[in-house]
Amino acid sequence: PVDTTAPTVAITSPLNGALVPRNTTMTITASASDNVGVTRAEFFINGSLHCTDLSAPYSCAWRVPPPRGRTYRLQAKAYDARNNVGTSAIVTVTSR
């Protein structure tokens, strides 16, 4: 049978609505699972690919820009060997 099941993925940190310290490097983490296996997770900030992680635990280092009060939309995508893709809910954070 052909694998048509997309992975499931969720950002586990930071939490939606979090205040993140500006001018610091923070780690974005995600959990991902698939009926066959996850091959990679991608992390997006405001719709742009920021980094890719090939093995669990999936994480991405992000240097929070200096402006205070900016809102950022974080999202993760997980892929399996058949290139099925699962997309997380958007997590919104604000720099402080």
Side-chain angles (χ1 to χ4, degrees):
V2 175
D3 175 22
T4 58
T5 303
T8 58
V9 59
I11 292 178
T12 54
S13 179
L15 298 176
N16 191 47
L19 294 175
V20 295
R22 58 198 173 94
N23 283 327
T24 62
T25 299
M26 66 169 299
T27 301
I28 305 166
T29 58
S31 62
S33 62
D34 184 67
N35 63 326
V36 176
V38 174
T39 57
R40 75 181 187 275
E42 296 177 339
F43 292 85
F44 294 81
I45 299 171
N46 289 344
S48 296
L49 179 62
H50 187 70
C51 52
T52 301
D53 195 343
L54 302 178
S55 60
Y58 302 102
S59 65
C60 174
W62 173 43
R63 178 89 179 154
V64 181
R68 181 189 312 267
R70 291 271 172 90
T71 299
Y72 300 94
R73 296 179 337 276
L74 313 179
Q75 193 167 40
K77 292 183 179 183
Y79 296 81
D80 66 14
R82 299 281 305 173
N83 260 342
N84 295 310
V85 59
T87 304
S88 75
I90 292 174
V91 169
T92 302
V93 298
T94 303
S95 58
R96 61 173 168 86

